[in-house]
Amino acid sequence: MSILAVLALLLTVPMAQAQSNDKYFEQGLYIEEGWNLIPYGEGLEIEGLQEEHLLGAYVYRAGSGDYLDILENEYQLDQLVDAYGLIPIWIYSDASYSARVEVDIREVDEALRDAEFVFVEGWNYYVLTPQMNPGYDGMHFNIHQNKYGSVIDDMYMWEDGEWEYIYDEFLEWESYNDDGGFILPVLINYDERFTPTMSEDLSVPAFPY
């Protein structure tokens, strides 16, 4: 099963139906009562988040191995976004409801170009995007491949109050060069430190015929 099918089944996200063009799309986001892992960063806007139900919000800092209370440290959250471009946020809600993520893919492109960080050995949170597929048009943000192969041991998504293993689906998605639009916060276990790399196709346009 492809990672897009996993998303459709587990997250009930109507990705293809919601996508409006190749530079902008919307994605359903269902907030459950309890803990939720949501995407955040440049080019992402969360619409419909009900702050009156928000009891806590935290970001994991892999370098120090602790959680930052972003309701009390908004400035440090901005610093993390500047470095990583995209980060998942844990939020605790006392109610369930529907929201959505509005994605400006051009801003995400730029955020990943500017990102300067290292995945540490062990557990790291990040956000999967279309730019991480080798088939993405014009660029590829590599989060796990060095000259010897993948440095990822495991990958999980948070669904229905528990971790769902999706590393095999991620590799399948990559192999099909599928750059379909989706945004997914994930937890990744790296077997060594890894600096993500950006490659871009700067080919001169072809002749008209």
Side-chain angles (χ1 to χ4, degrees):
M1 181 179 293
S2 72
I3 196 169
L4 291 177
V6 168
L7 288 169
L9 290 172
L10 297 179
L11 294 179
T12 62
V13 174
M15 291 164 295
Q17 295 89 335
Q19 188 168 344
S20 57
N21 58 57
D22 62 348
K23 297 301 180 185
Y24 174 86
F25 64 90
E26 294 183 356
Q27 178 174 301
L29 178 65
Y30 184 69
I31 303 297
E32 296 181 334
E33 182 178 357
W35 288 107
N36 298 263
L37 191 62
I38 67 171
Y40 183 81
E42 296 293 337
L44 309 183
E45 292 288 341
I46 306 296
E47 295 293 335
L49 193 64
Q50 299 178 16
E51 295 185 7
E52 65 270 24
H53 295 300
L54 182 63
L55 301 186
Y58 299 88
V59 169
Y60 183 69
R61 296 183 291 189
S64 54
D66 62 357
Y67 286 91
L68 175 69
D69 183 344
I70 61 172
L71 297 182
E72 302 292 336
N73 299 278
E74 186 174 345
Y75 175 71
Q76 292 185 57
L77 172 62
D78 293 339
Q79 290 180 318
L80 289 171
V81 171
D82 288 342
Y84 286 82
L86 304 168
I87 55 174
I89 295 178
W90 280 111
I91 66 168
Y92 192 90
S93 174
D94 65 2
S96 299
Y97 58 91
S98 295
R100 70 180 186 276
V101 185
E102 296 182 351
V103 183
D104 186 326
I105 206 69
R106 291 164 296 189
E107 289 190 14
V108 176
D109 286 349
E110 195 62 30
L112 296 177
R113 287 190 185 97
D114 294 341
E116 295 185 4
F117 68 95
V118 176
F119 291 112
V120 303
E121 181 180 351
W123 294 110
N124 298 257
Y125 287 92
Y126 206 56
V127 179
L128 295 185
T129 72
Q131 291 87 344
M132 294 165 197
N133 189 286
Y136 184 75
D137 186 22
M139 65 189 296
H140 176 222
F141 190 69
N142 169 32
I143 63 168
H144 72 116
Q145 290 281 356
N146 63 21
K147 62 181 180 180
Y148 304 109
S150 177
V151 297
I152 288 179
D153 283 333
D154 299 294
M155 181 184 293
Y156 295 85
M157 60 182 281
W158 182 255
E159 175 66 17
D160 292 334
E162 61 183 16
W163 289 113
E164 184 80 22
Y165 181 81
I166 62 165
Y167 185 42
D168 292 339
E169 287 79 9
F170 169 73
L171 294 177
E172 181 183 3
W173 171 70
E174 278 194 325
S175 70
Y176 284 121
N177 287 339
D178 184 347
D179 65 347
F182 73 91
I183 300 293
L184 178 66
V186 292
L187 177 63
I188 309 172
N189 190 18
Y190 283 81
D191 60 22
E192 62 182 67
R193 288 170 59 88
F194 182 78
T195 302
T197 58
M198 173 68 77
S199 58
E200 298 195 58
D201 181 6
L202 300 178
S203 300
V204 173
F207 293 113
Y209 60 88

